[in-house]
Coordinates of all heavy atoms in Angstrom, one line a residue:
Chain A
S32 N 14.9 11.2 6.9 CA 14.1 11.7 8.0 C 13.1 10.7 8.3 O 12.6 10.0 7.4 CB 13.5 13.1 7.8 OG 14.5 14.1 7.7
Y36 N 2.9 9.5 11.5 CA 1.6 10.2 11.2 C 0.5 9.4 11.9 O 0.6 8.2 12.2 CB 1.4 10.2 9.7 CG 2.1 11.2 8.9 CD1 3.4 11.1 8.5 CD2 1.5 12.4 8.6 CE1 4.1 12.1 7.9 CE2 2.1 13.4 7.9 CZ 3.4 13.2 7.5 OH 4.1 14.2 6.8
E42 N -10.9 11.4 9.8 CA -10.0 12.6 9.5 C -8.9 12.2 8.6 O -8.7 11.0 8.3 CB -9.5 13.1 10.8 CG -10.5 13.7 11.8 CD -9.9 14.3 13.0 OE1 -8.7 14.6 13.0 OE2 -10.7 14.5 14.0
G43 N -8.1 13.2 8.2 CA -7.0 13.0 7.3 C -5.8 12.6 8.1 O -5.8 12.6 9.3
L44 N -4.7 12.4 7.4 CA -3.4 12.1 8.1 C -2.8 13.4 8.7 O -2.8 14.4 8.0 CB -2.4 11.5 7.1 CG -2.8 10.1 6.5 CD1 -2.1 9.9 5.2 CD2 -2.4 9.1 7.5
K49 N 8.5 13.9 14.2 CA 9.5 13.6 13.3 C 10.9 13.7 13.9 O 11.0 14.3 14.9 CB 9.4 14.4 12.0 CG 9.8 15.9 12.3 CD 9.8 16.7 11.0 CE 10.3 18.1 11.2 NZ 10.3 18.9 9.9
F89 N 0.9 5.6 11.4 CA 1.8 5.2 10.3 C 3.2 5.7 10.6 O 3.4 6.9 10.9 CB 1.3 5.8 9.0 CG 0.0 5.4 8.5 CD1 -1.2 6.0 9.0 CD2 -0.1 4.3 7.7 CE1 -2.5 5.5 8.5 CE2 -1.4 3.8 7.2 CZ -2.5 4.5 7.7
S93 N 11.5 9.6 4.6 CA 11.6 10.4 3.5 C 12.6 9.8 2.5 O 13.6 9.2 2.8 CB 12.1 11.8 3.9 OG 13.4 11.7 4.5
Y96 N 12.0 13.4 -1.4 CA 10.8 14.2 -1.2 C 9.5 13.4 -1.3 O 8.4 13.9 -1.2 CB 10.7 15.3 -2.3 CG 11.9 16.2 -2.2 CD1 12.9 16.2 -3.2 CD2 12.2 16.9 -1.0 CE1 14.0 17.0 -3.1 CE2 13.4 17.7 -0.9 CZ 14.2 17.7 -2.0 OH 15.4 18.5 -1.9
Q97 N 9.6 12.1 -1.5 CA 8.5 11.2 -1.3 C 8.5 10.7 0.1 O 9.5 10.8 0.8 CB 8.6 9.9 -2.2 CG 8.6 10.1 -3.7 CD 8.7 8.7 -4.3 OE1 8.4 7.7 -3.7 NE2 9.2 8.8 -5.6
L98 N 7.4 10.1 0.5 CA 7.4 9.4 1.8 C 7.2 7.9 1.5 O 6.4 7.5 0.7 CB 6.3 9.9 2.7 CG 6.4 11.3 3.3 CD1 5.2 11.7 4.1 CD2 7.6 11.3 4.2
W100 N 6.0 4.5 3.3 CA 5.2 4.3 4.5 C 5.2 2.8 5.0 O 5.3 1.9 4.2 CB 3.7 4.6 4.1 CG 3.5 6.0 3.7 CD1 3.7 6.6 2.5 CD2 2.9 7.1 4.5 NE1 3.4 7.9 2.4 CE2 2.9 8.2 3.7 CE3 2.5 7.2 5.8 CZ2 2.4 9.4 4.1 CZ3 2.0 8.4 6.3 CH2 1.9 9.5 5.4
G101 N 4.9 2.7 6.2 CA 4.6 1.4 6.8 C 3.1 1.1 6.5 O 2.4 2.0 6.1
A102 N 2.7 -0.1 6.9 CA 1.3 -0.5 6.6 C 0.3 0.1 7.6 O -0.9 -0.1 7.4 CB 1.2 -2.0 6.6
Chain B
Y33 N 0.8 16.4 -3.8 CA 1.2 15.0 -3.8 C -0.1 14.2 -3.9 O -1.1 14.5 -3.2 CB 2.0 14.6 -2.6 CG 3.3 15.3 -2.4 CD1 3.3 16.5 -1.8 CD2 4.5 14.7 -2.8 CE1 4.5 17.2 -1.6 CE2 5.7 15.4 -2.6 CZ 5.7 16.7 -2.0 OH 6.8 17.4 -1.8
Y35 N -1.2 10.2 -3.0 CA -0.9 8.9 -2.4 C -2.1 8.0 -2.4 O -3.2 8.5 -2.4 CB -0.4 9.0 -1.0 CG 1.0 9.6 -0.8 CD1 1.2 11.0 -0.7 CD2 2.1 8.8 -0.6 CE1 2.4 11.5 -0.5 CE2 3.4 9.3 -0.4 CZ 3.5 10.7 -0.4 OH 4.8 11.2 -0.2
R37 N -3.8 4.2 -0.5 CA -3.7 3.1 0.4 C -4.7 2.0 -0.1 O -5.9 2.3 -0.1 CB -4.0 3.5 1.9 CG -3.7 2.4 2.8 CD -4.0 2.7 4.3 NE -3.5 1.7 5.2 CZ -4.1 1.5 6.4 NH1 -5.2 2.1 6.7 NH2 -3.6 0.5 7.2
E42 N 0.3 -0.7 3.0 CA 1.0 0.6 3.2 C 0.5 1.7 2.2 O 0.1 1.3 1.1 CB 2.5 0.4 3.1 CG 3.0 -0.1 1.7 CD 3.0 -1.6 1.6 OE1 2.3 -2.3 2.4 OE2 3.7 -2.0 0.7
I43 N 0.7 2.9 2.6 CA 0.4 4.0 1.7 C 1.5 4.1 0.6 O 2.7 4.0 1.0 CB 0.3 5.3 2.5 CG1 -0.9 5.2 3.5 CG2 0.0 6.5 1.6 CD1 -0.9 6.3 4.5
F45 N 3.1 6.2 -2.7 CA 3.3 7.4 -3.5 C 2.8 7.2 -4.9 O 3.1 6.2 -5.5 CB 4.7 7.9 -3.5 CG 5.1 9.0 -4.4 CD1 4.9 10.3 -4.1 CD2 5.7 8.7 -5.7 CE1 5.2 11.3 -5.0 CE2 6.0 9.7 -6.6 CZ 5.8 11.0 -6.2
D56 N 7.4 14.3 -10.4 CA 7.8 12.9 -10.2 C 6.5 12.1 -10.3 O 5.6 12.3 -9.5 CB 8.4 12.6 -8.9 CG 8.8 11.2 -8.6 OD1 8.5 10.3 -9.4 OD2 9.4 10.9 -7.6
S58 N 6.6 8.6 -10.8 CA 7.1 7.3 -10.8 C 6.2 6.3 -10.1 O 6.3 5.1 -10.3 CB 8.5 7.2 -10.1 OG 8.4 7.7 -8.8
G99 N 11.4 19.8 1.0 CA 12.3 19.6 2.2 C 11.5 19.3 3.4 O 10.3 19.5 3.5
H100 N 12.2 18.8 4.4 CA 11.5 18.2 5.5 C 11.1 19.2 6.5 O 10.4 18.9 7.5 CB 12.5 17.2 6.2 CG 13.0 16.2 5.1 ND1 12.2 15.5 4.3 CD2 14.3 15.9 4.8 CE1 13.0 14.8 3.5 NE2 14.2 15.0 3.7
L104 N 4.0 18.3 5.4 CA 2.9 17.9 4.4 C 1.5 18.1 5.2 O 1.4 17.7 6.3 CB 3.0 16.5 4.0 CG 4.1 16.2 3.0 CD1 4.1 14.7 2.7 CD2 3.8 16.9 1.7
F106 N -2.3 16.9 4.8 CA -3.1 15.9 4.1 C -4.6 16.3 4.1 O -5.1 16.8 5.1 CB -2.9 14.5 4.7 CG -1.7 13.9 4.3 CD1 -0.5 14.1 5.0 CD2 -1.7 13.0 3.2 CE1 0.7 13.5 4.6 CE2 -0.5 12.3 2.9 CZ 0.7 12.6 3.5
G107 N -5.3 15.9 3.0 CA -6.7 15.9 3.0 C -7.3 14.6 3.7 O -6.5 13.8 4.2
N108 N -8.6 14.6 3.8 CA -9.2 13.4 4.5 C -9.3 12.2 3.6 O -9.7 11.1 4.1 CB -10.7 13.8 4.9 CG -10.7 14.7 6.1 OD1 -9.6 15.2 6.6 ND2 -11.8 15.1 6.6

Side-chain angles (χ1 to χ4, degrees):
Chain A
S32 292
Y36 278 81
E42 299 184 14
L44 291 157
K49 70 176 184 181
F89 294 90
S93 59
Y96 306 114
Q97 297 179 22
L98 290 175
W100 300 79
Chain B
Y33 303 80
Y35 286 86
R37 187 182 189 210
E42 65 271 20
I43 299 169
F45 168 81
D56 181 353
S58 61
H100 311 305
L104 283 180
F106 281 84
N108 287 2

